Amino acid sequence: MPTVHVTSTPLTPSARLKAALRLTRWLTAHGSNAGHVVVTFHITEPMAYFAGGMPQTSYGESEGAAGQARWASVVCHVHPDRDHAYLTELAQEIRAALGLDADSAHCLVRFEPTQPDRVFYLESGSMTSAGPQPAARSREKGPDHADR
């Protein structure tokens, strides 16, 4: 279940939708289930994100929604078996999906390997994960558990 968390300058709803669809299509083309791809967008307040000591969002900056980000900090949770080539291509796709093409743009993408059995999602009314299901735990008290 790949997840992409984008923190950036304000984007229009249509720009967020376009980026989310593009990333979902890319991840699906590379083996992910489209229904499990999650993309979230977070907008920071002015003077809350700094790179090299310089604010990426200036004080008093308009909350006006731009069609493209000027900077982005992205955290992706992906399967730990994904190789460096995959991560590089996904980082490039994220940059392109957010429209960060200018030389003055700032983009940081961090990958967090996440085991599938550590991710749970709602399916048919119960929480499930892609990992192996553990054996049922006994609720009976045995001699080792007596009145501690």
Side-chain angles (χ1 to χ4, degrees), residues 42-140:
H42 309 278
I43 306 304
T44 62
E45 62 183 75
M47 302 295 288
Y49 185 85
F50 296 78
M54 299 302 296
Q56 298 298 302
T57 306
S58 302
Y59 179 76
E61 184 172 287
S62 171
E63 287 292 319
Q68 295 179 331
R70 287 186 299 118
W71 64 267
S73 175
V74 182
V75 177
C76 298
H77 296 269
V78 296
H79 195 284
D81 291 343
R82 296 297 190 175
D83 64 15
H84 191 267
Y86 174 93
L87 301 179
T88 301
E89 289 177 32
L90 179 52
Q92 289 291 352
E93 188 65 19
I94 290 167
R95 179 202 51 78
L98 295 174
L100 293 166
D101 295 325
D103 289 338
S104 61
H106 171 82
C107 184
L108 174 71
V109 179
R110 185 177 80 229
F111 292 99
E112 297 286 336
T114 305
Q115 293 289 345
D117 64 345
R118 299 288 180 146
V119 178
F120 289 79
Y121 51 93
L122 185 63
E123 183 174 63
S124 300
S126 63
M127 297 303 292
T128 188
S129 76
Q133 300 301 314
R137 287 178 50 183
S138 172
R139 293 187 180 197
E140 296 177 19

Side-chain angles (χ1 to χ4, degrees), residues 5-24:
H5 303 282
V6 178
T7 301
S8 70
T9 49
L11 297 170
T12 62
S14 62
R16 290 189 302 257
L17 176 61
K18 182 179 176 181
L21 288 173
R22 180 173 175 163
L23 293 173
T24 299

